């Protein structure tokens, strides 16, 4: 049978009464009466708890230093109170232990806050929902005391103090508050009962020791509160640990666990590499003016102040590579030639910038065309089926007659267009991100201009007659009924164009298809005239009413250099032009590789694009005067 356990000479068992908190004042060589413990009577429940309003006051941060570790080694994380942004803190959620899995993890909300010397204090309104009741009860009883914050850092400031690396969050914002068993900031907690010095009393050493049953129950309670397995409590009971020793062992177990699990108090919840890379790419693209939605902007916020060097270091450290002491040249070499995500980060940011400028520079001619898709670069055909005309009357015997449909085939092929750009080693070291973003933006605009030029070339061929169609006639031809006599843009001229479209027949040459005009397309010279023609008129008489007011949409194509103008139908009902991308690569595509002839990174943009004319019935051209 195991002998009695020896207790440290300077340690006393804490009385197992909820209303007592012991403060030890022990001197190693003091007389016996000096070893008498002292305590202050007071409820564990926070005195700031308002039962009617369901609110409680808490110190949510004292800006205490916290020891951290990253790929470069250990460092001190420090929060600068002057850099705290509290604009979104009121209304932020109070979570149960930083869990963000769903609504059940929200146990309250930040109702108000105030700054006190050296600390940030908040009034928290607790939820009355049933699923929040266990956590709220522990807060009310004073069992759950710790408070922790989740925050995001927009910029860091690094320094060295007494040989220790210090990272100071110079711009940061709290986005949630949590009730936790052990906070990273030891002084962050729910405000406890006020204790007067006059309440101090003496506890005699002869006070009764707890029973074995009480000790075992207390140890199991400690294990549950600390989130430890039941086997831990069994081991403490088998070792005949006291309650004080069990508390110390639980604290050590929690410290060990915190060193091997993701930290709770952190600049932002750690994302997987793909999400982190996307957030960094968004931050890079934002510096070029690319807009982001609220969710992506919030994810990119911690990286907005990063330089290219910071991005390279973060990419390496995310893959477990140490960057301690690396010179800029060595840092970029490692980032570009290892398994880091830095090359993909640059490409991702470039694509965002490319697509944003490509979309913004899109020509109005794409609005007039239908989008198709091609699987390869061979000349493809666009088959158009004609109308079936009217339905035939069924004979008395119930026999149905067969009908035929006319067909027309137009064809075109895709071509490849591209450009190459190199970002030099010198530009990387100099953090010249602007050169890269400017090129990506220019490449997007060039891709949009390439598409617009190809679409316009279809309308401008043969002095404005357009391409040859399957009937061996040009797109705009008198026989097609879509080439009008030259006339200045006016309400009367528009009326003639609408009549020409209404009189169009289908492929069978008989069926009236009554095409409806939707777009008026002019060059810059006629823009003002077109706006006047289409302007709404509040007429005094019916004869003064503009029949085209709010019926046609004006599109201005800068490549129209004369007084000619066009009226187009909706491409969804009467397509005239069609454009296509390679199905595996829609729109401009960016890729990168390591520079071979020079120390650099090479980027290229490739566009697989083609366009052709499908039909003449959805457009009318007037050459103007």
């Amino acid at each position: 049978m195991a002998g009695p356990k020896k207790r440290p000479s300077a340690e006393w068992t804490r009385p197992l009464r909820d209303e007592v908190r012991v403060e030890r004042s022990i001197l190693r060589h003091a007389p016996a009466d000096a070893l008498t413990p002292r305590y202050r009577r007071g409820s564990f429940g926070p005195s700031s708890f308002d039962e009617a309003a369901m609110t409680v006051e808490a110190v949510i941060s004292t800006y205490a230093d916290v020891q951290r570790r990253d790929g470069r080694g250990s460092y001190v994380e420090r929060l600068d109170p002057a850099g705290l942004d509290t604009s979104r803190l009121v209304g932020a959620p109070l979570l149960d232990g930083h869990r963000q899995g769903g609504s059940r993890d929200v146990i309250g909300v930040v109702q108000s806050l105030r700054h006190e010397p050296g600390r940030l204090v908040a009034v928290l309104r607790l939820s009355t929902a049933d699923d929040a009741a266990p956590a709220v009860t522990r807060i009310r009883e004073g069992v759950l005391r710790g408070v922790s914050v989740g925050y995001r850092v927009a910029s860091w400031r690094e320094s060295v103090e007494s040989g220790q690396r210090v990272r100071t969050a110079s711009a940061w914002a709290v986005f949630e508050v949590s009730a936790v068993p052990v906070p990273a900031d030891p002084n962050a907690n729910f405000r406890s009962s006020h204790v007067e010095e006059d309440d101090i009393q003496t506890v005699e050493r002869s006070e009764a020791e707890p029973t074995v049953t009480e000790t075992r129950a207390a140890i199991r309670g400690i294990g549950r509160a600390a989130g430890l397995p039941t086997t831990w409590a069994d081991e403490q009971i088998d070792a005949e640990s006291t309650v004080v020793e069990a508390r110390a062992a639980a604290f050590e177990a929690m410290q060990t666990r915190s060193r091997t699990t993701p930290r709770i108090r952190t600049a932002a919840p750690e994302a997987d590499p793909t999400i982190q890379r996307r957030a960094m790419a968004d931050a890079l693209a934002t510096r070029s003016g690319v807009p982001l939605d609220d969710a992506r902007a919030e994810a990119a916020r911690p990286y907005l102040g990063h330089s290219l060097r910071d991005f390279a270091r973060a990419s390496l450290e995310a893959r477990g590579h140490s960057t301690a002491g690396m010179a800029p040249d060595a840092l970029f070499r490692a980032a570009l030639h290892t398994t880091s995500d830095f090359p993909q980060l640059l490409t991702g940011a470039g694509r965002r910038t490319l697509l944003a400028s490509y979309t913004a520079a899109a020509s109005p001619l794409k609005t007039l065309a239908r989008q198709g898709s091609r699987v390869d670069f061979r000349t493809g055909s666009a088959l158009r089926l004609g109308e079936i005309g009217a339905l035939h009357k069924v004979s008395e015997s119930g026999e149905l007659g067969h009908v035929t449909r006319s067909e027309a085939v137009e064809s075109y092929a895709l071509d490849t267009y591209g450009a190459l750009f190199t970002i030099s080693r010198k530009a990387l070291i100099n953090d010249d991100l602007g050169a890269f973003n400017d090129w990506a933006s220019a490449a997007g605009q060039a891709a949009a201009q390439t598409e617009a030029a190809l679409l316009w070339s279809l309308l401008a061929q043969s002095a404005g007659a357009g391409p040859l169609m399957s009937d061996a006639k040009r797109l705009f031809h008198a026989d097609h009924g879509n080439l009008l006599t030259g006339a200045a843009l006016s309400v009367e001229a528009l009326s003639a164009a609408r009549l020409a479209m209404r009189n169009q027949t289908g492929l069978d040459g008989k069926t009236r298809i009554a095409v409806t005009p939707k777009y008026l397309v002019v060059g810059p010279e006629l823009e003002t005239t077109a706006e006047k023609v289409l302007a709404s008129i509040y007429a005094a008489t019916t004869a003064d009413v503009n029949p085209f007011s709010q019926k046609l949409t004006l599109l201005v194509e800068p490549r129209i250099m004369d007084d000619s103008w066009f009226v187009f139908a909706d491409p969804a009902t009467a397509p005239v032009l069609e454009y296509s991308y390679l199905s595996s690569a829609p729109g401009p595509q960016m890729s990168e590789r390591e520079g071979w002839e020079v120390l650099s990174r090479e980027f290229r943009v490739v566009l697989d694009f083609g366009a052709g004319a499908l039909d003449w019935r959805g457009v009318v051209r007037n050459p103007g005067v």
Side-chain angles (χ1 to χ4, degrees):
M1 188 174 192
K5 292 175 60 68
K6 294 183 178 180
R7 299 181 182 180
S9 59
E11 192 168 64
W12 296 91
T13 300
R14 176 179 298 181
L16 295 178
R17 296 184 306 189
D18 287 346
E19 72 275 7
V20 177
R21 183 177 64 202
V22 177
E23 292 186 356
R24 298 179 180 82
S25 174
I26 298 175
L27 303 174
R28 183 177 298 275
H29 302 294
D33 59 349
L35 300 181
T36 302
R38 303 169 74 233
Y39 70 89
R40 296 180 181 180
R41 293 190 178 273
S43 172
F44 275 165
S47 61
S48 59
F49 192 94
D50 186 332
E51 192 72 39
M54 285 298 288
T55 60
V56 64
E57 191 172 280
V59 177
I60 64 175
S61 178
T62 62
Y63 317 109
D65 289 353
V66 176
Q67 196 72 30
R68 300 291 190 206
R69 175 173 292 275
D70 58 14
R72 299 166 60 188
S74 64
Y75 66 92
V76 173
E77 180 185 276
R78 181 171 298 164
L79 302 176
D80 184 357
L84 173 59
D85 177 10
T86 59
S87 60
R88 297 187 179 181
L89 185 51
V90 174
L94 172 65
L95 302 179
D96 183 4
H98 292 284
R99 286 188 288 271
Q100 303 178 30
S103 60
R104 294 176 179 271
D105 298 323
V106 180
I107 60 174
V109 67
V110 178
Q111 181 169 291
S112 64
L113 60 96
R114 68 178 184 273
H115 295 275
E116 294 183 357
R119 58 194 170 195
L120 181 63
V121 180
V123 174
L124 308 173
R125 180 165 55 84
L126 303 175
S127 172
T128 57
D130 291 341
D131 52 14
V136 172
T137 299
R138 289 181 173 89
I139 293 172
R140 180 191 288 110
E141 295 174 345
V143 176
L144 185 59
R145 297 185 178 187
V147 179
S148 182
V149 294
Y151 56 93
R152 296 185 175 94
V153 179
S155 64
W156 294 93
R157 183 175 65 250
E158 294 213 14
S159 60
V160 177
E161 297 180 5
S162 302
Q164 174 69 57
R165 185 163 60 100
V166 178
R167 295 194 74 197
T168 301
S170 56
W172 56 291
V174 177
F175 65 90
E176 59 95 351
V177 179
S178 285
V180 295
V182 181
D185 186 336
N187 297 315
N189 48 46
F190 296 101
R191 289 201 150 168
S192 303
S193 299
H194 182 67
V195 181
E196 298 294 339
E197 195 66 27
D198 295 340
D199 292 337
I200 298 178
Q201 301 179 16
T202 300
V203 178
E204 299 297 332
R205 292 183 56 188
S206 60
E207 188 170 12
E209 295 284 339
T211 66
V212 174
T213 301
E214 290 174 334
T215 300
R216 290 179 177 179
I219 291 175
R220 295 193 185 279
I222 291 170
R224 286 193 299 270
L228 298 171
T230 56
T231 54
W232 176 88
D234 294 338
E235 292 171 357
Q236 296 297 315
I237 292 171
D238 292 341
E240 299 182 4
S241 298
T242 64
V243 175
V244 172
E245 291 169 340
R247 286 196 183 98
F251 179 77
E252 181 62 30
M254 293 171 69
Q255 290 290 95
T256 302
R257 182 176 60 192
S258 68
R259 289 192 292 267
T260 58
T261 57
R263 60 181 183 244
I264 292 178
R265 180 188 160 191
T266 177
E270 294 294 335
D272 64 57
T274 302
I275 296 176
Q276 183 183 28
R277 184 174 66 245
R278 186 180 71 174
M280 289 194 292
D282 287 343
L284 272 174
T286 301
R287 291 169 61 176
S288 299
V290 177
L292 300 173
D293 58 44
D294 291 342
R296 298 189 71 160
E298 190 65 26
R301 191 181 302 278
Y303 307 105
L304 292 179
H306 277 34
S307 65
L308 280 176
R309 194 175 305 173
D310 294 329
F311 284 118
R313 178 177 288 110
S315 299
L316 285 168
E317 292 176 353
R319 293 291 183 176
H321 300 282
S322 175
T323 61
M326 274 192 178
D329 192 17
L331 181 68
F332 284 115
R333 285 180 183 273
L336 292 171
H337 304 300
T338 63
T339 57
S340 94
D341 294 328
F342 188 62
Q344 297 180 48
L345 171 63
L346 288 176
T347 305
R351 285 178 182 147
R352 297 272 312 181
T353 305
L354 170 78
L355 292 177
S357 62
Y358 165 74
T359 303
S363 168
L365 294 178
K366 288 184 70 174
T367 306
L368 307 173
R370 184 180 73 179
Q371 183 175 347
S373 180
R374 298 295 172 87
V375 297
D376 53 37
F377 294 93
R378 290 178 293 185
T379 300
S381 299
L383 175 64
R384 292 179 294 115
L385 295 176
E387 300 72 23
I388 65 172
L391 297 177
H392 296 176
K393 181 179 179 180
V394 179
S395 64
E396 187 176 346
S397 62
E399 182 180 355
L400 296 175
H402 290 277
V403 296
T404 58
R405 301 185 69 179
S406 302
E407 297 179 356
V409 178
E410 308 295 343
S411 60
Y412 64 93
L414 302 182
D415 288 305
T416 300
Y417 309 87
L420 186 68
F421 171 76
T422 299
I423 181 169
S424 66
R425 166 173 159 264
K426 181 178 179 181
L428 287 173
I429 295 176
N430 291 344
D431 195 32
D432 191 5
L433 180 64
F436 175 69
N437 283 337
D438 289 347
W439 176 82
S441 178
Q445 295 175 13
Q449 293 296 328
T450 299
E451 295 177 355
L454 185 55
L455 288 168
W456 171 246
S457 68
L458 295 173
L459 301 177
Q461 280 184 35
S462 301
L468 280 174
M469 306 300 288
S470 58
D471 62 354
K473 297 175 183 176
R474 295 286 174 179
L475 173 64
F476 299 106
H477 194 278
D479 292 347
H480 290 161
N482 65 355
L483 181 59
L484 304 182
T485 303
L489 181 60
S490 64
V491 173
E492 292 74 17
L494 281 178
S495 179
R498 179 172 65 179
L499 179 61
M501 297 181 76
R502 294 292 194 189
N503 286 332
Q504 288 287 357
T505 58
L507 293 180
D508 59 3
K510 301 176 183 179
T511 305
R512 295 281 182 175
I513 58 176
V515 179
T516 302
K518 183 174 182 178
Y519 299 103
L520 172 61
V521 185
V522 301
E525 297 293 332
L526 290 180
E527 183 174 3
T528 301
T529 302
E531 288 176 342
K532 290 180 179 179
V533 170
L534 299 181
S536 299
I537 297 177
Y538 296 95
T541 65
T542 305
D544 293 333
V545 173
N546 184 348
F548 295 100
S549 174
Q550 300 180 353
K551 290 186 178 180
L552 290 177
T553 300
L554 177 62
L555 299 178
V556 180
E557 171 51 55
R559 293 170 181 79
I560 303 177
M561 305 301 293
D562 54 20
D563 291 335
S564 62
W565 48 274
F566 303 81
V567 176
F568 277 81
D570 189 335
T573 57
V576 176
L577 305 176
E578 182 181 88
Y579 65 91
S580 294
Y581 302 102
L582 192 65
S583 59
S584 59
Q589 306 294 311
M590 177 179 282
S591 56
E592 52 82 27
R593 70 169 187 175
E594 179 185 353
W596 181 255
E597 296 181 354
V598 294
L599 296 175
S600 62
R601 204 74 187 174
E602 295 179 348
F603 296 86
R604 72 178 183 187
V605 171
V606 174
L607 176 68
D608 298 315
F609 183 79
L614 298 182
D615 198 2
W616 61 82
R617 294 168 177 81
V619 64
V620 169
R621 177 177 183 266
N622 192 306
V625 293

